[in-house]
Amino acid sequence: MKQHPLLAAALACLLTATAALAAEAPRVVTRDGRHALLVDGKPFLILGAQAHNSSNYPAALKPVWDAARDLKANTVLMPVAWEQVEPEEGRFDFSFVDTLVREARQQGKRLVILWFGTWKNTSAQYTPAWVKLDPKRFPFNVDRDGVANYSLSPFGQETLKADKRAFVALMGHLKKIDADQRTVLMVQVENEVGTYGLVRDFGPAAQAAFEQPVPAAVLARQKPKLAASGTWREVYGDYADEYFHAWAIARYIGEIAAAGRAVYDLPMYVNNALRNPLEQPPKPWNKDFASGGPTWDVIDIYKAAAPALDIVSPDIYSPESEQVNANLRLFQRPDNPLWIPEIGTKPSYARLLYAMLGRGAIGVSPFGIDYFNYSNHPLGSTATDKSLVEPFEPVYRMFAPIQRQWAQWAFEGRTRGAGEGDDRKPQQLDFPGWTAKLTYRLGSFGEPAWGGEFAKPAAGTEQPSGGAAIAQIGTDEFLVIGQRVRVRMEPAEGTRGFQLRVEQGHYDAQGRWVMERVWNGDQVDYGLNLPAQPVMLKVRMARPR
């Protein structure tokens, strides 16, 4: 049958628009101080799985895909090492990248590439042998006595030139193989930079720069200051060495990132090993963290010196809830999206996903999601089999079908979340017009005030394991996701209201709500008692007429 010309034209326009949307590059956008990672033109929530550092070889990929599939991750974070792609200077080998991207598409996973270049965990481990073996050309940081440190200097001009050339080649190759399909979403530039045991480089080039005036871009952002202008010591006093080192490293990374983005414009970020977030105000460096890394107190220096980076992100390996929540607050800023590319794999971290995703993080990724017979315990779990992912999988399972919608709600400021604190105390999440009150260690029936069995902590709650993430999807309607927590939805102080209807259900592949049962009677008389396995509830509140 002959197609009507107007219908054919409309169809052609639709196909063109669809193709253009699919070809749109991933990017980070900001609105009203909130952020989203746009993928194919819409907010995307990264439910990540980061592989082990040495799983960046074709033969090592199957255990990664198996673990990511069991976790229900939508994105895999994978290292690409400088030594791997440029084993001989000027000769590039991107065969692993080709295999990685091809297999990721076969697995239905997106990718975040981790560039292990000049620095990986502050060291030169992943640089090519021809870099490691030529310290005259590729200098290391040196101390006040001129003794070389283990970490490469950010003032090594040949190092910067070579790293930048390799990174640009990588970005050019990614553009060649992936610009149409957009499998790769973001790129991490270097890894956990800074130096342990040395506050900064004291080499001649570094010392000459240290004695110069602080750049205006840094002065405009980084405080406190002892003087409005001057050298680093004159302006920042006891903080000068650390701040200078942060500026030097950020400037180095920023130049690499800018050159890479000029070739293929993907979102880029840096990650960091954290300093104590509870030390307020922060004390000058005292060999207690990696000096010069993008810790929370120098985010402004990184923003000033490396504008090509979209995000400064925390790697969270301290499971204490107070530390975790403090880091989330410090890294989530109007000028900095919350993206957690590494968390430990101990089961205690799983409940904290609710706090991270509820706060509006663009994504989160446990580290070492990989059935490689290796464990980074005590930072992570001792498990290397499927039990490794079991604490996290139920949470990912809840968010996976709605990751696009959740990302949109978060971008609109509609989401809140909390993980059970180590103190086991009640928590409160405030929404326009309504409040969610969270309590832990309670059974599914009755009140502790009744005494006896009702007053005893519920079985299975010996360790903190509860949490909830809540989205206000309408003026008086909420989506509640969580486990091992009692949630009471109440009107905001000074107002009246009540719970009208509670449905347990899920969203189907088309994003439609599928009701499984209505909670009533015992199930709502004592709050909404979410069981050990996560559930999803749609809660409708109402106001008296």
Side-chain angles (χ1 to χ4, degrees):
M1 185 175 72
K2 187 176 180 180
Q3 193 174 50
H4 191 282
L6 290 178
L7 180 59
L11 182 59
C13 289
L14 178 61
L15 292 174
T16 300
T18 302
L21 188 64
E24 183 178 332
R27 59 193 176 98
V28 174
V29 295
T30 299
R31 186 177 67 203
D32 300 328
R34 296 185 295 272
H35 314 276
L37 172 65
L38 297 190
V39 177
D40 302 330
K42 298 181 293 183
F44 185 94
L45 179 66
I46 294 178
L47 300 173
Q50 183 166 160
H52 281 300
N53 298 155
S54 300
S55 292
N56 52 332
Y57 294 91
L61 285 176
K62 186 179 184 303
V64 176
W65 302 131
D66 289 346
R69 182 184 61 251
D70 290 343
L71 179 62
K72 294 184 172 58
N74 60 22
T75 304
V76 168
L77 285 69
M78 177 64 68
V80 172
W82 186 3
E83 66 175 355
Q84 177 181 25
V85 301
E86 196 181 7
E88 298 176 17
E89 186 170 7
R91 182 179 70 81
F92 293 103
D93 178 1
F94 294 113
S95 57
F96 169 70
V97 177
D98 293 337
T99 300
L100 174 68
V101 172
R102 181 179 66 252
E103 291 191 11
R105 291 172 184 161
Q106 293 169 351
Q107 296 288 329
K109 306 299 182 190
R110 303 280 190 154
L111 291 170
V112 172
I113 298 296
L114 316 178
W115 175 241
F116 287 4
T118 299
W119 298 290
K120 194 279 170 190
N121 286 18
T122 75
S123 82
Q125 289 172 303
Y126 285 78
T127 60
W130 52 269
V131 172
K132 294 185 180 82
L133 296 174
D134 193 353
K136 184 175 181 180
R137 183 181 172 197
F138 306 108
F140 288 80
N141 293 297
V142 297
D143 65 17
R144 297 177 193 273
D145 298 321
V147 178
N149 177 259
Y150 69 92
S151 183
L152 287 166
S153 168
F155 290 93
Q157 290 304 306
E158 283 294 305
T159 319
L160 173 59
K161 180 181 175 181
D163 191 334
K164 181 165 61 175
R165 182 186 62 215
F167 186 71
V168 166
L170 171 63
M171 295 306 295
H173 190 77
L174 288 176
K175 182 177 182 179
K176 178 182 176 181
I177 67 172
D178 196 45
D180 292 334
Q181 298 196 46
R182 307 294 189 187
T183 309
V184 179
L185 304 182
M186 290 200 296
V187 178
Q188 176 185 293
V189 190
E190 313 297 342
N191 178 271
E192 292 191 357
V193 300
T195 51
Y196 289 106
L198 182 67
V199 70
R200 67 172 176 90
D201 186 11
F202 289 89
Q207 191 60 32
F210 183 74
E211 292 169 0
Q212 294 298 308
V214 177
V218 175
L219 289 172
R221 298 192 63 127
Q222 184 70 20
K223 298 173 177 58
K225 295 194 290 274
L226 301 179
S229 62
T231 67
W232 289 87
R233 185 69 69 200
E234 290 168 344
V235 173
Y236 293 117
D238 292 341
Y239 298 85
D241 295 300
E242 178 209 342
Y243 287 4
F244 170 78
H245 200 34
W247 167 78
I249 294 174
R251 185 184 61 165
Y252 184 109
I253 295 172
E255 189 169 329
I256 292 172
R261 295 189 80 152
V263 174
Y264 186 31
D265 191 12
L266 287 178
M268 295 188 183
Y269 71 96
V270 285
N271 66 329
N272 78 103
L274 303 174
R275 69 173 298 173
N276 184 357
L278 303 178
E279 186 180 84
Q280 300 283 351
K283 297 177 182 177
W285 181 85
N286 188 27
K287 299 185 179 181
D288 48 349
F289 60 93
S291 177
T295 50
W296 60 266
D297 55 317
V298 295
I299 291 176
D300 282 316
I301 293 178
Y302 271 77
K303 295 289 181 182
L309 297 173
D310 294 281
I311 309 171
V312 176
S313 59
D315 291 349
I316 297 180
Y317 289 102
S318 295
E320 298 82 3
S321 58
E322 189 179 9
Q323 291 248 349
V324 172
N325 290 327
N327 278 313
L328 299 183
R329 289 193 301 270
L330 290 165
F331 282 87
Q332 185 175 37
R333 301 173 15 153
D335 65 348
N336 194 62
L338 182 60
W339 156 232
I340 306 104
E342 296 185 33
I343 61 172
T345 50
K346 287 182 177 179
S348 59
Y349 285 99
R351 77 192 196 279
L352 301 172
L353 295 177
Y354 293 109
M356 297 170 186
L357 300 179
R359 287 186 68 93
I362 66 169
V364 63
S365 179
F367 171 79
I369 301 299
D370 182 348
Y371 297 152
F372 169 40
N373 189 22
Y374 170 82
S375 165
N376 70 341
H377 181 78
L379 296 184
S381 170
T382 58
T384 59
D385 58 11
K386 193 171 182 178
S387 62
L388 170 73
V389 304
E390 287 175 350
F392 299 89
E393 183 275 337
V395 185
Y396 272 35
R397 187 196 325 143
M398 289 288 103
F399 284 93
I402 60 167
Q403 63 91 358
R404 290 281 192 176
Q405 185 59 69
W406 189 271
Q408 181 65 45
W409 288 329
F411 190 37
E412 295 169 357
R414 295 172 175 265
T415 65
R416 311 282 190 274
E420 183 178 2
D422 298 331
D423 58 11
R424 326 301 292 273
K425 290 182 179 179
Q427 299 161 329
Q428 183 168 311
L429 303 175
D430 294 319
F431 296 88
W434 302 96
T435 293
K437 294 184 177 179
L438 280 55
T439 48
Y440 300 94
R441 307 203 71 186
L442 303 180
S444 59
F445 184 90
E447 301 290 354
W450 296 357
E453 288 291 318
F454 297 101
K456 295 181 180 179
T461 65
E462 292 75 19
Q463 298 297 322
S465 57
I470 303 175
Q472 188 170 21
I473 61 178
T475 303
D476 302 319
E477 193 169 15
F478 297 85
L479 189 73
V480 179
I481 303 172
Q483 64 191 83
R484 289 198 188 280
V485 59
R486 177 175 291 186
V487 179
R488 291 187 185 274
M489 299 299 306
E490 298 180 359
E493 187 174 354
T495 66
R496 298 174 61 201
F498 59 93
Q499 191 169 277
L500 185 65
R501 182 178 173 90
V502 178
E503 296 179 359
Q504 180 179 339
H506 65 275
Y507 284 87
D508 66 16
Q510 287 71 45
R512 297 172 299 201
W513 174 251
V514 178
M515 190 271 288
E516 298 167 2
R517 70 169 73 194
V518 175
W519 282 24
N520 214 331
D522 290 343
Q523 285 74 54
V524 299
D525 287 344
Y526 310 101
L528 306 175
N529 293 285
L530 310 188
Q533 283 296 308
V535 295
M536 183 179 293
L537 303 176
K538 184 176 281 190
V539 181
R540 195 187 314 163
M541 306 298 290
R543 305 282 184 185
R545 295 179 180 177

